[in-house]
């Protein structure tokens, strides 16, 4: 007992872990304490895990796991490290195929002779490390509008101290570290995702909602699913044969590395964090229906498709018929996919339960799911509206019937790329975000959507074009023997539902249902205008919409908050994203000007300056010259340096990327329309935060090696606590795109700017999401009205010029007729009638004097627009005073004493004065 107390007190560990350590190692307490402080205890107790009730699941998970006896080949190179680590095998792969864990920071991409997909990889520049002084300058600029004067002064002092002491040294260490790396941020970036223990659903995985098939007859579940799968398989083939044309932006090639990690991959949790595993030779797909899993082969050893669309449809119908044989309430009790929504450490323990017997049915079934090309989810529901559709694609639905969860949330496997098709044919994609950004998955979604249309067109006209350089030989004309060792008949995975798994599925589902109920989703399909109108007014579409978010939030809450938007950096080798900070001094000035009683011209001018500032910032970030990634890398280098000195490395190579929360996309954080002005890219944001360790080890580390003041300053936490996490990702193939909120009091905003519309999906943990959407819509209508007032002449000229080329041709051919001919009569006939133009319509509306007052002009221009919703009751003068009171430049001493006295006098006279006798 004395030994237990000594170890517990010295190491600040829970008693159950101390008992397990003492019982297993039979080591003197002093030795245990010494080894723990030098990072050795973790290696010796690799198979020990703690787990909270209920029993008997906890007893099972606390037992040693026979991982080392599992015969699966894994290369010595790790995703988490460049150095070799202890192998973590899993169950035997189907047909003895190697199931490899692939290092994500390796840039030695295998190239085939003549391959074009990765042809430009060797020519791409490495991600540059920004200048330290420029980084901290941009850091201060990003924080200034978010802080009070006093807070910003503290941050400036922290930055000055950082530049004098820790900063230059960390910068040199980062440069030395980056010399042997493909990218200075890549390993830290992956660690930040893979060391994230919270569930990936609603926290990490973004979604795409595809547009419906333009052929209505094909919008049924089986036809749509088979069509998407057939196109997806051709995309897989194009990537593997390196025939997929590389992405470019204005002629500059982009890094294509992420496409090699899109298929046959899975996020697999382990005791030491998650890892990405990949079967580069995967040939099969998995289908989920009513929470049950089926699989069949779809490619041969040459990556050629061995099933036609009709064959796939037949298989899917067979799967659907079989899944419906079991009542949905019974099937839900064995829906193992819900385990992928658990806390990552819990899910790791449950995987140990599934694989504790090498070669068992559960172990093999789990490996088949992990190594599949992708998952196809066939849902049995038809979401009633677009918001419900978005929720279904992001996290599934929660519907409890007689105490049993029968919603689609149990029909998912979130560790892999998923194609989701509803009963009515509505389709979407949910993807694991660690190794791929939204820009990569957008290319996949766009190409398969386009291919479904072109393939249908070829059934009408065999000469219709195709996306692919080459296509698979027609499976119906091939000798079946040429397919090789394949299983094309669907096979259902039957799990051995031991008591531990039954209990785990139950509690995972109830926790997931809680998580779903904590979030809400609202959508805005804004169809009044889009990219064409915005550009005609001289604005960047992305900057224009970003200012709309700022104005809507300020109009609802009267303040600005930290906002995140990712910018794509794939012009560099293995580039991912950089963080754009839309809140600037110019944006604050705009929202305050907009909501005050100012002339329309002043509001537009403020909007123009704020938008230009955002465009400039985005360009800087697209060149990888932002401040967020650079500072986070410096933070990770500091931690590496400290860990090395303390001899307590927390990862296999001494690096650790502490994350207390997730934000991006980020998702993130997280999106990337390849051809949008401003180039706002990717989906979800990763939020690096200062580690608030509670253990004795972390306290000792910070005591001996204090955290650099820049990272200890409140500004660091402020910039990394995102309230508005936004991402622009999409094109006409998508109906919506989105992700969950990145903080408890924040909004997750995914948006797509189309030519004539804007699609916005907003999520939050039950803030006023619907009201925020309504405010945003009112703003978009109001700003159009203001722009039309101030740009009426330019707008009319632009409309006449851009509406039709035919009118330009008409003007160009108006020439005086010198000689009468047979064409003169035709010309005379064509000139009959009164021309109908915008100017002629306006002349009819004008007063007899031919002039219009500003008020009349405003009414004329905006007669089809809505006003600002519920904001009409605001007195603009009062609002202006309120805005001045909020501003830093407002000084009450500027008001004359006589004026203040007059105001007080008026206040004293307001209201009925009651006599005491009246009470």
């Amino acid at each position: 007992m004395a030994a237990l107390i000594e170890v517990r007190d010295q190491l600040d560990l829970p008693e159950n872990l101390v008992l397990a350590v003492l019982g297993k190692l039979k080591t003197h307490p002093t030795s245990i304490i010494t080894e723990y402080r030098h990072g050795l205890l973790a290696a010796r107790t690799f198979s020990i895990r703690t787990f909270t009730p209920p029993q008997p699941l906890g007893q099972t998970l606390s037992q040693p796991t026979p991982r080392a006896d599992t015969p699966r080949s894994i290369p010595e190179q790790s995703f988490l490290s460049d150095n070799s680590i202890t192998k973590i095998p899993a169950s035997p792969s189907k047909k003895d195929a190697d199931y490899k864990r692939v290092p994500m920071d390796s840039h030695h991409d295998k190239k085939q002779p003549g391959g074009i997909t990765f042809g430009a990889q060797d020519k791409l520049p490495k991600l540059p490390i920004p200048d330290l002084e420029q980084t901290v300058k941009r850091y201060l600029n990003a924080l200034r509008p978010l802080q009070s004067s006093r807070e910003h002064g503290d941050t400036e002092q922290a930055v000055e101290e950082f530049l004098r002491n820790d900063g230059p040294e960390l910068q040199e260490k980062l440069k030395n570290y980056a010399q042997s790396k493909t990218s200075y941020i890549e390993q830290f970036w992956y660690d930040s995702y893979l060391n994230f223990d919270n569930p990936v659903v609603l926290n990490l995985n973004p979604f795409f909602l595809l547009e419906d098939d333009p052929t209505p007859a094909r919008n049924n579940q089986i036809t749509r699913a088979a069509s998407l799968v057939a196109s997806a398989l051709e995309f897989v083939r194009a990537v593997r044969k390196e025939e997929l044309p590389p992405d470019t932006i204005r002629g500059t090639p982009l890094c294509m590395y992420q496409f090699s990690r899109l298929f046959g991959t899975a996020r697999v949790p382990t005791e030491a964090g998650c890892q990405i595993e990949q079967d580069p030779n995967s040939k099969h797909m998995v289908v989920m229906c009513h929470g049950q899993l089926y699989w069949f082969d779809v490619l041969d050893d040459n990556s050629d498709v061995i099933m036609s669309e009709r064959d796939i449809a037949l298989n899917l119908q067979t799967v659907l018929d079989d899944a419906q044989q079991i009542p949905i309430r019974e099937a839900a009790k064995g829906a193992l996919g819900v385990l992928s929504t658990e806390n990552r450490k819990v899910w790791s323990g449950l995987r140990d339960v599934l694989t504790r017997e090498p070669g068992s049915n559960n172990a093999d079934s789990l490996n088949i799911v992990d190594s599949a090309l992708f998952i196809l989810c066939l849902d049995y529901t038809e979401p009633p509206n677009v918001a419900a559709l978005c929720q279904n694609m992001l996290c599934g639905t929660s519907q409890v019937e007689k105490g049993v969860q029968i919603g689609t949330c149990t029909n998912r496997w979130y560790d892999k790329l998923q194609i989701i098709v509803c009963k009515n044919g509505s389709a979407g994609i949910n993807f694991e975000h660690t190794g791929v950004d939204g820009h990569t998955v957008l290319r996949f979604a766009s190409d398969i959507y386009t291919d479904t249309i072109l393939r249908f067109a070829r059934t009408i006209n065999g000469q219709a074009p195709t996306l692919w350089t080459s296509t698979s030989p027609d499976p119906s004309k091939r000798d079946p023997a040429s397919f090789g060792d394949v299983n094309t008949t669907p096979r259902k995975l039957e799990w051995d539902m031991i008591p531990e798994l039954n209990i785990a599925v139950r509690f995972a589902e109830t926790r997931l249902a809680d998580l779903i109920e904590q979030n809400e989703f609202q959508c805005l399909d804004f169809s009044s205008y889009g990219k064409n109108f915005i550009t005609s007014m001289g604005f960047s579409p992305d900057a224009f919409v970003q200012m709309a978010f700022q104005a809507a939030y300020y109009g609802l809450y009267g303040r600005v908050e930290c906002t995140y938007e990712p910018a794509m950096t794939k012009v560099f080798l293995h580039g991912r994203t950089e963080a754009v900070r839309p809140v600037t001094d110019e944006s604050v000035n705009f929202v305050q000007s907009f909501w005050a009683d100012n002339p329309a011209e002043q509001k537009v001018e403020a909007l123009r300056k704020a938008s230009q500032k955002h465009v400039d910032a985005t360009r800087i970030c697209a060149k990888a010259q932002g401040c967020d990634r650079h500072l986070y890398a410096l933070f990770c280098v500091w931690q590496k340096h400290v860990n090395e000195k303390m001899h307590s490395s927390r990862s296999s190579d001494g690096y650790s990327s502490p994350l207390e929360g997730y934000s991006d996309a980020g998702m993130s954080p997280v999106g990337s329309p390849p051809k949008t002005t401003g180039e706002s890219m990717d989906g979800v944001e990763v939020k690096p935060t200062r580690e608030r360790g509670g253990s004795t080890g972390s306290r000792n580390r910070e005591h001996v090696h204090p955290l650099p003041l820049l990272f200890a300053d409140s500004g660091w936490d402020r910039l990394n606590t995102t309230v508005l996490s936004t991402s622009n990702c999409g094109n006409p193939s998508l109906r919506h795109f989105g992700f969950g909120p990145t903080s408890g009091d924040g909004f997750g905003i995914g948006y797509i700017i189309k030519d004539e519309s804007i699609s916005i999906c907003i999520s939050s943990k039950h803030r006023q999401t619907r009201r925020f959407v309504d405010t945003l819509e009112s703003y978009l209508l109001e700003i159009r009205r203001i722009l039309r007032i101030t740009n009426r002449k330019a707008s009319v000229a632009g409309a006449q010029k851009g509406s039709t080329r035919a009118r330009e041709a008409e003007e160009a051919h108006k020439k005086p007729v010198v000689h009468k001919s047979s064409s003169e009569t035709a010309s005379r006939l064509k000139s009959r009638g009164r021309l109908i133009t915008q100017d002629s319509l306006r002349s009819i509306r004008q007063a007899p004097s031919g002039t219009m007052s500003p008020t009349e002009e405003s009414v004329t221009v905006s007669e089809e627009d809505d006003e600002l919703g519920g904001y009409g009751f605001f007195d603009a003068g009062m609002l202006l005073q309120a805005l001045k009171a909020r501003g830093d430049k407002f000084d009450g001493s500027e008001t004359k004493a006589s004026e203040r006295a007059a105001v007080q006098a008026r206040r004293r006279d307001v209201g009925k004065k009651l006599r005491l006798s009246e009470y």
Side-chain angles (χ1 to χ4, degrees), residues 475-729:
S476 62
K477 298 179 180 179
R478 290 179 59 182
D479 181 1
S482 67
F483 293 164
D485 182 14
V486 295
N487 295 306
T488 57
T489 303
R491 297 171 182 264
K492 182 178 181 180
L493 296 178
E494 299 282 0
W495 304 90
D496 299 328
M497 294 301 293
I498 55 180
E500 294 95 328
L501 292 180
N502 282 319
I503 295 172
V505 168
R506 170 65 172 172
F507 293 138
E509 179 274 310
T510 55
R511 189 210 54 76
L512 173 62
D514 273 347
L515 189 61
I516 293 174
E517 294 298 332
Q518 291 167 12
N519 292 268
E520 65 173 340
F521 310 89
Q522 296 291 341
C523 294
L524 174 60
D525 288 303
F526 185 77
S527 58
S528 296
Y529 60 87
K531 178 181 178 181
N532 289 341
F533 171 78
I534 297 171
T535 54
S536 73
M537 293 291 106
F539 291 94
S540 155
D542 183 71
F544 184 91
V545 175
Q546 281 289 334
M547 293 308 108
F549 299 146
Q550 295 298 313
Y553 193 91
Y554 191 90
L556 196 56
Y557 297 104
R559 62 180 184 271
V560 296
E561 296 283 8
C562 182
T563 307
Y564 170 94
E565 181 190 13
M568 182 183 68
T569 57
K570 288 172 71 175
V571 293
F572 301 100
L573 186 64
H574 288 205
R576 297 294 297 261
T577 63
E578 178 58 86
V580 183
R581 296 298 176 178
V583 178
T584 61
D585 292 334
E586 289 79 2
S587 71
V588 173
N589 177 64
F590 161 64
V591 297
Q592 291 182 345
S593 298
F594 177 83
W595 289 105
D597 185 19
N598 291 314
E601 291 78 8
Q602 182 177 336
K603 296 180 180 182
V604 171
E605 182 60 24
L607 174 60
R608 208 170 292 281
K609 290 181 179 179
S611 297
Q612 185 58 49
K613 182 69 174 182
H614 185 80
V615 170
D616 295 340
T618 303
R619 288 172 178 168
I620 290 173
C621 291
K623 297 177 182 178
Q625 295 296 316
C627 66
D628 285 68
R629 304 296 182 254
H630 185 199
L631 288 177
Y632 182 53
L634 293 175
F635 175 54
C636 293
V637 167
W638 170 82
Q639 190 182 50
K640 166 191 175 295
H641 177 65
V642 172
N643 286 343
E644 288 176 347
K645 285 194 172 183
M646 297 291 292
H647 302 287
S648 57
S649 301
R650 291 172 54 188
S651 65
S652 57
D653 63 349
Y655 290 83
S656 175
S657 300
L659 262 276
E660 288 183 340
Y662 165 83
S663 162
D664 218 358
M667 241 97 359
S668 235
V670 37
S672 52
K675 294 185 172 81
T676 22
T677 305
E679 303 166 41
S680 164
M681 311 285 174
D682 188 9
V684 197
E685 165 198 4
V686 172
K687 182 181 73 176
T689 59
R690 178 166 54 91
E691 183 182 14
R692 301 180 182 90
S695 67
T696 303
S698 66
R699 287 197 299 266
N700 286 341
R701 180 183 61 194
E702 292 196 6
H703 177 71
V704 177
H705 301 279
L707 189 66
L709 190 56
L710 184 146
F711 303 122
D713 177 66
S714 62
W716 177 253
D717 288 333
R718 182 70 180 269
L719 197 63
N720 290 291
T721 302
T722 301
V723 175
L724 295 181
S725 183
T726 70
S727 184
N728 177 1
C729 182

Side-chain angles (χ1 to χ4, degrees), residues 99-163:
Y99 183 23
K100 300 180 179 179
R101 180 174 58 188
V102 181
M104 300 294 289
D105 61 351
S106 171
H107 66 283
H108 301 294
D109 303 316
K110 295 181 179 179
K111 298 180 182 179
Q112 298 183 13
I116 62 173
T117 304
F118 306 103
Q121 292 297 102
D122 291 339
K123 303 175 185 177
L124 295 175
K126 288 182 63 174
L127 195 72
I129 299 177
D131 177 74
L132 181 60
E133 292 189 0
Q134 286 296 322
T135 290
V136 296
K137 181 180 178 180
R138 293 180 178 122
Y139 174 71
L140 289 173
N141 290 338
L143 277 173
R144 184 168 52 245
L146 299 172
Q147 294 178 308
S148 66
S149 299
R150 181 174 181 177
E151 290 173 334
H152 195 64
D154 292 341
T155 299
E156 287 178 328
Q157 291 183 2
V159 166
E160 291 174 2
E161 194 273 342
F162 183 74
L163 287 176

Side-chain angles (χ1 to χ4, degrees), residues 52 188 427 645 879:
T52 54
F188 304 133
K645 285 194 172 183
L879 182 58

